Amino acid sequence: MSNHEELARILNDEINAAADEAALEAVRVSALGKKGRISQLMKSLGSMDPEERKVMGPALNGLKNEVQQAIAQRQQVLYSQALDARLETEKLDVTLPLQASALTSGRIHPVSQVMDEIAAIFGDMGFAIAEGPDIEDDFHNFTALNIPPEHPARQMHDTFYFGEQEDGSRLVLRTHTSPVQIRTMTAGPPPHRIVAPGRTYRCDSDQTHTPMFHQIEGLVIDKETHLGHLKWVLEEFCKAFFEVDTIKMRFRPSHFPFTEPSLEVDIGCARLGNEIRVGEGDDWLEILGCGMVHPQVLRNVDIDPEVYQGFAFGMGIDRLAMLKYGIPDLRAFFEADLRWLRHYGFTSLDIPSLHGGLSR
Ligand code: DAH
């Protein structure tokens, strides 16, 4: 067998034995590289006599082409083998149930759940979400809301005060979410349509009160907003939130310094021992305060009450959560007891939405 036929056989074996692309590359270099075996043979052509060269020239070129082709073919095979192996190991059966993980065992607190539910409902009605700081100044928490110093409403709020500042004023932990109304109206021109959920604080603690609790505030300011809009928004909200088709509601006259007229809203319910059922029965349960924004509040934020008017409402989120999910004791909300959270919490993948269901 001639030299180059022998080499062709050897190279063929080496190429087929190459187990991956790196091994194949090594074979290629050892054959076709500068000092490769075929290249060396090519160089020897120069020292051959013309007759011999006539035969060997084409033969060596043929060998070179053959080897190049064999390498290219082997490359294809190795590539698709590697791809198959990867597809095999990265196989994902999307129909399998979720594996236990932090995502499936963690629980969403009922307060967060209810906040998300409320945000989904008002979001659907075209309200934006607004936020304000937990630490407020006197102007936003009281004065701008038509609660001047010495106003009796200040005593009712059991306010947590910070120490005196240089100018003698004292910051407070906000006693309600109503200051976000003021921040919204001073941040830009009307119309406004916002809800503002968040933490609120009062120096009060018993079975139904905790020093920190949650409220959500609503505010709509426009040129033709009236009490009928307020009633409709609240009725639609209550039906969506309690996931019932009809709900009995009662609007009672009340007093808040920042609204005129002011109303308190009760929903119809049935009390069965410790249980309260919304949407049936002849009892009433107060769930929120509301009213038309007081003209003085509008003036305080440079809005002309002759042109603009609107309504506001505020409700306690913790109470709504207790009601909807039958949770008896408010204090347990803030005790961080994992057993309680596992029982009353929600899975993190059930994101409340009106089309997908609020609480499922
Ligand atoms: N800020 C009131 C409170 O904490 C709740 C409230 C009542 C808010 C009437 C309002 C409203 O916006 O119009 O008791």
Side-chain angles (χ1 to χ4, degrees), residues 157 175-176 178 181 202 215 217-218 256 258-259 289-291 312-314:
H157 277 209
T175 56
H176 49 178
S178 302
Q181 288 186 29
R202 286 183 204 177
Q215 285 190 343
E217 192 77 13
F256 301 103
F258 32 88
T259 43
C290 61
F313 55 88

Side-chain angles (χ1 to χ4, degrees), residues 92-282:
L92 185 68
D93 183 349
V94 293
T95 64
L96 286 175
L98 274 183
Q99 286 177 356
S101 70
L103 201 62
T104 54
S105 61
R107 285 289 174 274
I108 301 291
H109 194 285
V111 170
S112 304
Q113 168 77 16
V114 164
M115 277 194 187
D116 290 347
E117 291 180 17
I118 297 175
I121 297 168
F122 283 110
D124 191 65
M125 290 195 222
F127 283 71
I129 305 278
E131 280 184 315
D134 288 16
I135 298 175
E136 267 298 5
D137 54 33
D138 187 276
F139 175 76
H140 290 91
N141 197 78
F142 293 123
T143 308
L145 287 162
N146 204 25
I147 315 175
E150 313 308 329
H151 192 287
R154 291 206 178 197
Q155 267 68 58
M156 281 157 50
H157 277 209
D158 300 312
T159 312
F160 284 113
Y161 283 95
F162 285 82
E164 270 187 23
Q165 303 185 100
E166 264 171 27
D167 64 1
S169 68
R170 304 172 78 180
L171 296 174
V172 301
L173 285 175
R174 66 177 175 190
T175 56
H176 49 178
T177 42
S178 302
V180 186
Q181 288 186 29
I182 303 302
R183 291 190 175 272
T184 301
M185 291 189 286
T186 51
H192 298 292
R193 191 177 291 114
I194 59 105
V195 283
R199 294 194 177 97
T200 46
Y201 306 83
R202 286 183 204 177
C203 188
D204 202 351
S205 185
D206 59 38
Q207 204 175 354
T208 53
H209 296 90
T210 48
M212 189 281 293
F213 56 106
H214 298 85
Q215 285 190 343
I216 185 160
E217 192 77 13
L219 174 72
V220 173
I221 302 288
D222 210 334
K223 288 185 174 155
E224 289 171 358
T225 311
H226 56 69
L227 206 63
H229 295 138
L230 169 62
K231 284 186 71 177
W232 182 86
V233 163
L234 293 177
E235 276 170 17
E236 289 306 306
F237 165 74
C238 285
K239 282 193 286 185
F241 179 72
F242 289 107
E243 301 179 49
V244 293
D245 293 331
T246 53
I247 198 159
K248 270 200 308 187
M249 293 179 82
R250 183 166 77 173
F251 291 77
R252 279 182 292 107
S254 180
H255 173 77
F256 301 103
F258 32 88
T259 43
E260 180 58 37
S262 301
L263 310 157
E264 274 175 318
V265 178
D266 302 333
I267 51 173
C269 66
R271 290 173 208 264
L272 310 147
N274 271 342
E275 196 190 339
I276 295 179
R277 284 210 196 131
V278 174
E280 50 187 273
D282 296 320

